[in-house]
């Protein structure tokens, strides 16, 4: 028997269907609420609002569980590689060996970025933050690829996916080359995707370059861990912008802007800056814990807390282990790793953090690895964006294939009631 929920408003009862997801998550479908009763629901920050049904990612914040298309993040991070996980997210199944090879080859076909894009980069000051430049360049790609993708045309959609995966990686690294004043590199079709990232970032025309496999493997894992996270701020933005039938590049550009904020992807840069500051001020982690708890102090412990996880972020657990491994293998002895561990231990036994269920999130340890791998701090959020790209694509594709309606929330107006215009000389 199908389940329903009953809502009583001013003595009148209304029934709404309940739908249940694969993992028994429950939702009350209130889409007819306003038509029936004149009322809407209010849920600032969408803490209780489901915006779509999705087959891509399952997340249980209470238990600290994350699955992509039914596979646990732990297994994917241990056994998968970034391109096969991207394929899984976007197309729904793990690729066969030949599908994976074709995917990689097809991405390579689109890794050349129009040379005129360089004129756009030239317009930015060297001091511009890479995320701002990346959002602009992603948006600019629409100018060079003006034809909107038909989501119902499988071939066209596949080409758009490959184009986005290829070109985004290149322009993401160009944002860094610009800040350094280095010549912009091209993708090397004889190398793998993540190896290419390192080449694009660090290869200089004056000397040979070979990426360290320890570094490329660590980055591959980090990209997998960031690849999707269901309806977070940037992904909801991508779906929302795409719901107006704006193109894939335009929607992803909006996602990049949403990701940049320090409460979202920008937290990885903020964490590292915070740890550096603690280190520079004598390493007193307890003092910063007190600041984070002081309601009169705007300081927050960056890399702690999550809208959905009220338990350990499973990605943070994997990254913490990886941070130890990578720093050990590379022989890096970084005092800020010790400060991070000290902060974590203090927070996990502190009443303020325990009662609010604030645990380390994905951004807490990722910056420490990026730093050990030689990635500049300003590029941390760009790294997140590269990892999140397949998730954004998958969610945009699903939204268009499901023919979801344009996103358009309601509001309750709390401004002035109707009043008469007063001419300027009489105000
Ligand atoms: N440090 C100190 N107090 C915190 C923190 C923190 N990092 N996070 C939450 N709180 C407190 C907050 O002050 C509030 O206390 P009270 O109930 O006394 O008013 C309570 O915990 C609940 O916080 P909230 O802001 O209502 O929770 P939210 O779900 O709206 O926000 C969050 C989630 C991630 C924005 C927040 O925890 C935060 O600002 N964390 C630091 C930034 C960060 O690490 N962001 C990365 C998130 S994970 C990756 C991603 O999504 O990109």
């Amino acid at each position: 028997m199908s389940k329903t929920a009953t809502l009583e408003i001013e003595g009148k009862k209304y029934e709404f269907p309940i739908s249940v997801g694969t993992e028994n998550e429950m939702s009350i479908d209130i889409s007819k609420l306003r038509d029936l009763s004149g009322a809407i629901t209010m849920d600032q920050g969408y803490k209780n609002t489901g915006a779509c049904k999705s087959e891509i990612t399952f997340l249980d914040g209470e238990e600290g569980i994350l699955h992509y298309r039914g596979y646990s993040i732990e297994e994917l991070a241990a056994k998968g590689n970034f391109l096969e996980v991207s394929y899984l997210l976007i197309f729904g199944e793990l690729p066969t060996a030949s599908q994976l090879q074709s995917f990689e080859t097809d991405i390579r076909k689109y890794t050349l970025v129009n040379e005129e894009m360089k004129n756009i980069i030239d317009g930015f000051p060297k001091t511009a933050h890479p995320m701002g430049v990346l959002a602009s360049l992603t948006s600019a790609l629409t100018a060079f690829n003006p034809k909107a993708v038909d989501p119902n045309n499988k071939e066209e959609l596949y080409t758009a996916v490959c184009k986005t995966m290829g070109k985004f990686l290149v322009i993401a690294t160009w944002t860094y080359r610009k800040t350094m004043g280095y010549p912009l590199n091209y993708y090397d079709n004889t190398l793998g995707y993540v190896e290419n990232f390192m080449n694009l970032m660090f290869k200089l025309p004056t000397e040979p370059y070979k990426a360290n496999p320890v570094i490329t493997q660590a980055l591959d894992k980090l990209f997998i861990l960031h690849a999707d996270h269901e309806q977070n701020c940037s992904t909801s933005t991508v779906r929302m912008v795409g719901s107006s039938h704006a193109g894939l590049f335009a929607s992803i550009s909006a996602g990049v802007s949403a990701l940049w904020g320090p409460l979202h992807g920008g937290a990885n840069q903020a964490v590292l800056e915070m740890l550096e500051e603690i280190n520079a001020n004598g390493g007193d982690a307890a003092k910063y814990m007190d600041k984070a708890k002081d309601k009169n102090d705007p300081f927050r412990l960056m890399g702690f807390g999550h809208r959905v996880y009220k338990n350990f972020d499973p990605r943070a657990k994997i990254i913490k282990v990886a941070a130890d491994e990578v720093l050990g293998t590379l022989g890096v002895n970084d005092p800020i790793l010790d400060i991070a561990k000290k902060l974590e231990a203090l927070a996990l036994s502190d009443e303020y953090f325990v009662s609010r269920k604030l645990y380390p999130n994905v951004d807490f340890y990722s910056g420490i690895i990026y730093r050990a791998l030689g990635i500049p701090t300003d590029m941390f959020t760009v790294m997140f964006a590269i990892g999140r790209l397949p998730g954004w694509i998958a969610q945009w594709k699903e939204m268009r294939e499901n023919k979801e309606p344009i996103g358009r929330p309601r509001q309750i107006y709390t401004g002035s009631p109707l009043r008469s215009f007063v001419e300027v000389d009489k105000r």
Side-chain angles (χ1 to χ4, degrees):
M1 209 177 72
S2 59
K3 294 181 183 172
T4 56
T6 308
L7 178 67
E8 190 172 326
I9 306 174
E10 294 176 336
K12 216 168 158 206
K13 288 187 176 165
Y14 303 92
E15 286 220 333
F16 300 99
I18 288 182
S19 62
V20 181
T22 311
E23 302 283 350
N24 290 325
E25 331 91 276
M26 231 199 286
S27 77
I28 304 166
D29 178 353
I30 51 105
S31 49
K32 297 267 182 311
L33 174 64
R34 190 172 176 279
D35 285 348
L36 294 172
S37 70
I40 60 165
T41 54
M42 180 58 70
D43 182 23
Q44 280 190 346
Y46 308 122
K47 293 189 178 189
N48 296 286
T49 297
C52 60
K53 290 187 177 173
S54 178
E55 296 180 358
I56 302 170
T57 289
F58 171 68
L59 199 172
D60 182 334
E62 274 69 37
E63 298 296 326
I65 292 172
L66 176 61
H67 297 167
Y68 298 162
R69 302 274 188 190
Y71 297 96
S72 79
I73 191 66
E74 290 79 8
E75 208 178 1
L76 289 170
K79 300 181 186 164
N81 69 49
F82 180 57
L83 276 194
E84 67 185 333
V85 171
S86 300
Y87 188 100
L88 169 72
L89 284 167
I90 298 169
F91 300 109
E93 294 295 336
L94 282 169
T96 61
S98 81
Q99 282 170 329
L100 182 59
Q101 202 188 8
S102 306
F103 189 44
E104 189 155 18
T105 308
D106 293 333
I107 289 173
R108 285 181 178 137
K109 288 181 194 157
Y110 300 104
T111 49
L112 263 185
V113 174
N114 194 303
E115 287 290 305
E116 283 185 84
M117 285 281 281
K118 292 183 177 174
N119 299 332
I120 301 175
I121 300 181
D122 279 345
F124 285 97
K126 257 176 86 170
T127 49
H129 193 284
M131 280 298 276
V133 181
L134 180 59
S136 308
L137 293 183
T138 310
S139 182
L141 285 175
T142 30
F144 299 93
N145 300 271
K147 192 177 170 306
V149 186
D150 174 0
N152 301 312
N153 181 331
K154 273 199 159 54
E155 218 172 289
E156 217 175 288
L157 193 62
Y158 179 77
T159 304
V161 168
C162 295
K163 250 188 203 175
T164 311
M165 289 292 293
K167 294 186 196 300
F168 189 82
L169 185 77
V170 176
I171 57 172
T173 62
W174 281 4
T175 65
Y176 165 68
R177 303 287 290 195
K178 164 79 192 181
T179 62
M180 300 301 288
Y182 292 153
L184 306 179
N185 279 339
Y186 295 94
Y187 198 94
D188 178 342
N189 282 351
T190 63
L191 302 173
Y193 193 79
V194 181
E195 215 179 344
N196 254 296
F197 165 78
M198 291 300 287
N199 257 36
L200 285 157
M201 283 282 288
F202 298 117
K203 189 171 187 269
L204 296 176
T206 43
E207 51 197 82
Y209 178 84
K210 170 100 184 75
N212 179 341
V214 173
I215 296 182
T216 50
Q217 276 161 25
L219 282 181
D220 197 286
K221 190 180 287 211
L222 281 165
F223 288 150
I224 292 173
L225 295 175
H226 286 89
D228 195 51
H229 212 232
E230 51 118 297
Q231 306 312 315
N232 56 82
C233 178
S234 57
T235 301
S236 302
T237 300
V238 170
R239 281 185 95 120
M240 172 70 98
V241 173
S243 77
S244 74
H245 294 193
L248 183 56
F249 290 132
S251 306
I252 284 174
S253 162
V256 172
S257 296
L259 185 73
W260 190 7
L263 297 189
H264 190 12
N268 58 12
Q269 176 173 344
V271 169
L272 203 94
E273 286 165 355
M274 173 187 80
L275 294 173
E276 278 173 343
E277 186 188 316
I278 299 174
N279 191 34
N281 289 322
D284 187 354
K287 187 174 116 193
Y288 284 83
M289 288 288 298
D290 289 341
K291 269 168 76 64
K293 292 189 286 181
D294 181 355
K295 292 288 172 202
N296 297 317
D297 190 325
F299 176 79
R300 281 193 162 199
L301 197 58
M302 298 312 284
F304 261 78
H306 197 276
R307 168 59 61 78
V308 184
Y309 290 121
K310 301 302 167 198
N311 198 327
F312 261 95
D313 180 335
R315 303 166 300 172
K317 280 192 199 166
I318 302 171
I319 296 182
K320 186 181 175 185
V321 174
D324 272 328
E325 278 170 13
V326 169
L327 269 65
T329 315
L330 296 175
V332 176
N333 191 0
D334 193 338
I336 68 161
L337 179 60
D338 297 331
I339 292 175
K341 286 183 178 169
K342 217 190 294 176
L343 271 178
E344 180 185 327
L346 284 172
L348 293 180
S349 59
D350 188 290
E351 200 277 328
Y352 175 97
F353 284 83
V354 173
S355 63
R356 289 171 179 76
K357 299 189 172 134
L358 301 171
Y359 291 88
N361 59 48
V362 68
D363 294 319
F364 193 62
Y365 285 104
S366 62
I368 297 173
I369 306 193
Y370 290 143
R371 183 158 113 140
L373 302 184
I375 311 289
T377 315
D378 266 8
M379 283 295 286
F380 287 4
T381 315
V382 173
M383 303 300 290
F384 194 150
I386 295 170
R388 183 55 53 88
L389 181 67
W392 287 333
I393 298 173
Q395 301 270 353
W396 184 93
K397 177 173 168 284
E398 180 181 74
M399 181 270 309
R400 290 301 308 272
E401 284 172 347
N402 288 350
K403 300 193 171 31
E404 284 176 21
I406 187 167
R408 205 303 187 183
R410 290 267 180 179
Q411 64 162 25
I412 292 293
Y413 174 68
T414 57
S416 165
L418 183 64
R419 48 186 168 162
S420 296
F421 183 83
V422 180
E423 279 74 13
V424 70
D425 55 330
K426 301 207 178 86
R427 274 176 232 155

